[in-house]
Amino acid sequence: MKTDTFKICRVEFMPKQLAPGILYVSETYGTAAHLCACGCGAKIRTPLAPTEWAVKDCIDGPSMWPSIGNWQQACQSHYVIEDGRVVWCGQWTPEEVLAGRHREQRRRQAYYDNKKKGWLGNVWAWLKRLLG
């Protein structure tokens, strides 16, 4: 059955059986899990980290960003969870999926490159960009 809304359930360990419409979040292990919103029954697991997904507990329900693209599932569902509601996004072509993966990889690389530099290195890089 298709899910239109999600509620958040904070857990330490993920349950073996997931219930529809529940976004399970383990901050201890930096992960979230839910059943695919399309109703296919696929278990969707997403890592929570600065370079991965983020979950925010809003008044009307959880928000999860970036979008969830189930490209490895038969359903190929693509959606965002925003204020507890499922917002369906357009299906991507294989080329768009590949481009999205490349963008994610570049974003992760930039994040970790900046972490390596430290705050002084970031100030120096900013000054170099500012002065051309």
Side-chain angles (χ1 to χ4, degrees), residues 50-52 100-117 122:
T51 62
E52 303 296 336
R101 288 183 177 147
H102 287 302
R103 279 192 304 276
E104 289 173 3
Q105 188 175 15
R106 286 192 306 272
R107 188 182 74 237
R108 284 184 197 107
Q109 188 65 49
Y111 175 83
Y112 288 111
D113 286 350
N114 283 335
K115 292 289 267 184
K116 287 180 195 173
K117 291 178 189 174
N122 288 332

Side-chain angles (χ1 to χ4, degrees), residues 19-127:
I22 305 293
L23 177 63
Y24 299 90
V25 175
S26 171
E27 292 176 1
T28 304
Y29 295 102
T31 189
H34 67 281
L35 292 177
C36 184
C38 81
C40 71
K43 290 181 181 179
I44 308 303
R45 291 177 178 82
T46 47
L48 304 176
T51 62
E52 303 296 336
W53 281 266
V55 172
K56 184 177 175 185
D57 199 359
C58 304
I59 292 171
D60 295 327
S63 291
M64 181 177 236
W65 190 263
S67 64
I68 298 136
N70 298 329
W71 313 126
Q72 297 174 344
Q73 304 294 331
C75 67
Q76 300 270 299
S77 293
H78 184 206
Y79 53 91
V80 172
I81 300 172
E82 185 176 311
D83 296 323
R85 294 181 316 276
V86 175
V87 179
W88 292 97
C89 303
Q91 193 168 11
W92 285 4
T93 65
E95 294 79 20
E96 289 171 316
V97 171
L98 189 59
R101 288 183 177 147
H102 287 302
R103 279 192 304 276
E104 289 173 3
Q105 188 175 15
R106 286 192 306 272
R107 188 182 74 237
R108 284 184 197 107
Q109 188 65 49
Y111 175 83
Y112 288 111
D113 286 350
N114 283 335
K115 292 289 267 184
K116 287 180 195 173
K117 291 178 189 174
W119 73 270
L120 190 56
N122 288 332
V123 169
W124 178 247
W126 176 77
L127 282 171

